[in-house]
């Protein structure tokens, strides 16, 4: 067993002390794992836009001081009681989506929404407590059950997936959230078929991951929609075949243009922005009879959708949400890892920058300036 097993560890963490402020690098105390938990030594982590969103929230569910971060890969340093599926030294990915493997939903092929450990943006571990303290003894809050902006973190086994250690860490960490969510949305949530037509609203990292998933599934046409025409060249690398600049459509709606381009609408449509009006536009260009609209974007709290009941009843189209791309972490993530090692899934093109842990605030700047898709942060670089 590790010499540190069962003992608190002092390590570096990038702490969010107040809303909108740069993260503060400081020494923290990480407690040992309790029952059904593991302590993980983080190798590298990547920055997701959700981290930026929660850093800027002044009111709940924003809360401070907090250790953000939820896309990462690491090695199990020690295990708590009752942990049998993992051992010290295992390479693992912590994932915000729980997969207990015991509840009705986790046992079903129809759902990836764990009932035993429901997803929330709680600032605690599943048992309602924290494993983090600052050097003054103050509580540091968790983020999405992961908190990866620290050299060591504690995660419940329901939120940990063991992976093949041969995949490069800077690729593996992408599978904790963004890349998996987008690829999974095309693969699992929509079940995109070979030869089909796909429309994607929003070509940020999630939208590009949807395009990558649609490409893997064999889509014949992938239509990208964005306000930035400069994204078309980038999106081609992910499989996008046609592009619509939504700011240059004249008097026509984007949905009208797509319906004309596709002779009746796309087979699969994805909303990756997080805007209720864009969801409605996405649904409007979904083909009657069999078209599927999948929502991935996170809208502001309280946002409402307005859909025509006639359209819903008489057009035969479906609309659904996609939590973590419909993936079951413990069974589907190893499949994505293999697709990467088999050179099918091209994760490399998502990484635009890599920095050391001490430069984590630079990663935030790059994302906010629109220069980065995914910036990988190495703990020991």
């Amino acid at each position: 067993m590790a010499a540190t097993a069962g003992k608190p560890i002092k390590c570096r963490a990038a702490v969010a002390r107040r809303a909108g402020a740069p993260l503060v690098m400081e020494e923290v105390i990480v407690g040992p794992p309790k029952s059904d938990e593991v302590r993980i030594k983080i190798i590298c982590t990547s920055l997701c836009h959700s981290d930026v969103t929660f850093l800027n929230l002044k009111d709940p569910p924003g809360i401070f001081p907090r250790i953000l971060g939820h896309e990462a890969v690491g090695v199990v340093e020690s295990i708590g009681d009752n942990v049998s599926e993992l051992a010290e030294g295992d390479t693992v990915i912590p994932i915000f989506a729980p997969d207990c493997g015991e509840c009705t939903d986790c046992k079903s092929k129809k759902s990836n929404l764990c009932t035993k450990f429901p997803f929330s943006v709680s600032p605690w571990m599943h048992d309602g407590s924290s494993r983090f303290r600052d050097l003054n003894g103050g509580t540091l809050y968790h983020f999405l059950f992961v908190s990866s902006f620290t050299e060591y973190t504690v995660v419940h086994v329901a939120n940990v997936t063991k992976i093949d250690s041969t995949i490069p860490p800077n690729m593996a960490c992408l599978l904790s959230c963004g890349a998996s969510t987008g690829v999974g949305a095309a693969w699992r949530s929509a079940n995109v078929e070979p030869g089909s037509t796909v429309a994607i609203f929003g070509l940020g990292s999630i939208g590009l991951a949807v395009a990558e998933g649609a490409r893997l599934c064999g889509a014949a046409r992938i239509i990208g929609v964005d306000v930035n025409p400069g994204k078309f060249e980038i999106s081609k690398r992910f499989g996008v075949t046609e592009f619509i600049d939504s700011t240059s459509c004249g008097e026509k709606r984007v949905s009208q243009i797509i319906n004309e381009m596709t002779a009746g609408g796309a087979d699969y449509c994805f909303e990756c922005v997080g805007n209720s009006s864009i969801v409605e536009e996405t649904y409007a260009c979904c083909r009657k009879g069999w078209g599927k609209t999948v929502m991935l974007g996170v809208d502001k709290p309280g946002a409402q959708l307005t859909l025509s009941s006639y359209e819903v009843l008489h057009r035969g189209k479906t609309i659904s949400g996609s939590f973590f791309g419909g993936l079951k972490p413990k069974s589907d993530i190893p499949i994505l890892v293999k697709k990467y090692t088999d050179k099918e899934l091209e994760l490399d093109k998502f990484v635009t920058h890599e920095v050391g842990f001490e430069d984590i605030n630079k990663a935030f700047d790059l994302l906010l300036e629109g220069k980065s898709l995914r910036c990988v942060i190495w703990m020991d670089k």
Side-chain angles (χ1 to χ4, degrees):
M1 295 181 64
T4 49
K7 304 174 184 177
I9 286 179
K10 182 188 291 187
C11 69
R12 293 184 304 163
V15 180
R17 283 285 175 183
R18 57 187 178 87
L23 304 186
V24 180
M25 192 67 67
E26 57 186 84
E27 287 192 319
V28 303
I29 304 298
V30 183
K34 295 185 179 180
S35 180
D36 299 313
E37 297 174 355
V38 297
R39 189 161 56 190
I40 301 169
K41 178 179 172 60
I42 299 295
I43 299 173
C44 64
T45 181
S46 50
L47 179 62
C48 173
H49 206 279
S50 295
D51 298 304
V52 178
T53 298
F54 277 84
L55 176 61
N56 291 321
L57 286 179
K58 296 180 179 180
D59 301 310
I63 189 170
F64 302 91
R66 195 175 210 171
I67 298 179
L68 297 169
H70 63 286
E71 288 190 351
V73 63
V75 175
V76 175
E77 172 268 339
S78 59
I79 62 175
D81 293 337
N82 300 322
V83 175
S84 58
E85 63 186 87
L86 297 169
E88 293 176 8
D90 284 345
T91 300
V92 294
I93 295 178
I95 297 175
F96 68 90
D99 185 356
C100 75
E102 299 174 353
C103 70
T104 300
D105 287 89
C106 288
K107 289 181 177 179
S108 171
K109 295 181 179 180
K110 300 177 182 179
S111 172
N112 71 337
L113 302 175
C114 182
T115 301
K116 186 175 180 179
F117 300 107
F119 171 77
S120 73
V121 291
S122 166
W124 307 109
M125 296 285 289
H126 288 302
D127 68 353
S129 64
S130 175
R131 303 292 171 272
F132 299 124
R133 295 286 184 274
D134 62 24
L135 295 188
N136 294 318
T139 297
L140 300 173
Y141 297 105
H142 289 255
F143 182 57
L144 300 183
F145 310 117
V146 174
S147 290
S148 60
F149 293 165
T150 170
E151 292 176 314
Y152 288 86
T153 189
V154 177
V155 184
H156 194 281
V157 290
N159 293 87
V160 177
T161 295
K162 181 179 177 179
I163 62 165
D164 184 343
S165 61
T166 61
I167 181 174
N170 57 341
M171 298 295 109
C173 65
L174 305 181
L175 297 174
S176 280
C177 179
S180 293
T181 296
V183 171
W187 173 38
R188 289 299 195 202
S189 295
N191 192 23
V192 170
E193 298 167 315
S196 59
T197 297
V198 169
I200 303 169
F201 285 69
L203 294 177
S205 57
I206 296 295
L208 293 175
V210 171
E212 176 71 4
R215 180 192 68 79
L216 280 172
C217 291
R221 298 177 69 183
I222 303 175
I223 304 168
V225 182
D226 202 279
V227 297
N228 181 1
K231 289 187 176 181
F232 185 34
E233 285 303 315
I234 297 173
S235 66
K236 286 180 180 178
R237 296 165 51 202
F238 295 83
V240 172
T241 58
E242 297 152 87
F243 181 80
I244 297 173
D245 177 359
S246 59
T247 65
S248 303
C249 296
E251 297 181 356
K252 288 186 177 181
R253 294 169 55 187
V254 173
S255 59
Q256 183 180 350
I257 293 174
I258 291 178
N259 285 332
E260 292 172 355
M261 290 172 62
T262 58
D267 302 305
Y268 303 96
C269 298
F270 299 86
E271 198 281 341
C272 304
V273 178
N275 184 295
S276 58
S277 64
I278 298 178
V279 174
E280 294 159 14
E281 192 72 356
T282 306
Y283 185 76
C285 64
C286 195
R287 185 175 181 83
K288 66 177 176 62
W290 63 71
K292 293 182 180 180
T293 296
V294 180
M295 295 172 52
L296 289 92
V298 180
D299 207 340
K300 60 182 180 296
Q304 301 289 315
L305 293 177
T306 302
L307 299 174
S308 164
S309 61
Y310 180 90
E311 283 282 313
V312 174
L313 178 62
H314 294 277
R315 297 302 185 191
K317 305 185 289 187
T318 61
I319 182 169
S320 68
S322 180
F323 177 74
F324 193 54
L327 299 175
K328 287 183 173 294
K330 293 184 188 298
S331 55
D332 286 332
I333 294 303
I335 295 175
L336 292 183
V337 169
K338 188 173 189 308
K339 286 183 180 295
Y340 172 77
T341 56
D342 288 345
K343 303 186 183 305
E344 298 175 30
L345 173 60
E346 299 172 3
L347 293 175
D348 306 66
K349 55 195 177 188
F350 286 94
V351 178
T352 53
H353 298 81
E354 299 187 38
V355 300
F357 192 27
E358 66 279 1
D359 293 323
I360 190 170
N361 286 308
K362 180 180 178 181
F364 278 78
D365 293 339
L366 289 167
L367 182 60
L368 291 171
E369 293 167 3
K371 298 178 180 178
S372 172
L373 284 179
R374 276 296 184 269
C375 181
V376 173
I377 302 151
W378 290 87
M379 292 299 162
D380 296 323
K381 186 174 181 179

